[in-house]
Amino acid sequence: QGPISGVNKEIAVLQCHGDCDPLVPLMFGSLTVEKLKTMINPANVTFRTYSGMMHSSCIEEMMDVKQFIDKHLPPVD
């Protein structure tokens, strides 16, 4: 609820959503990502949708998550 400031405004966010999710409709994911873009640097917000995915995960989503982690977190020795 409070303002986001400083380094937190530059945080990278990956939001994933299935387009067939019966529990959390895609519209709510879309509204959430638009709200996030008003709170932090919109260039750092990535929204991915997955065709046919329900309230679950899929290989493509897990690959996107891995790519996001590899890009934004330092490697583990």
Side-chain angles (χ1 to χ4, degrees), residues 4-75:
I4 295 174
S5 61
V7 72
N8 290 332
K9 278 193 169 276
E10 295 303 319
I11 192 166
V13 173
L14 171 64
Q15 182 180 340
C16 302
H17 209 105
D19 67 355
C20 292
D21 189 334
L23 211 58
V24 182
L26 181 58
M27 178 188 68
F28 292 132
S30 298
L31 291 170
T32 300
V33 81
E34 291 309 312
K35 180 65 176 174
L36 273 172
K37 287 179 178 180
T38 69
M39 299 171 71
I40 63 175
N41 182 347
N44 294 340
V45 179
T46 302
F47 185 57
R48 297 256 193 266
T49 59
Y50 303 91
S51 179
M53 190 171 85
M54 298 181 77
H55 194 73
S56 60
S57 63
C58 64
I59 289 291
E60 293 82 9
E61 180 187 23
M62 293 299 103
M63 294 305 295
D64 287 342
V65 170
K66 181 187 180 317
Q67 211 171 29
F68 180 83
I69 289 169
D70 288 345
K71 181 179 178 181
H72 294 286
L73 295 178

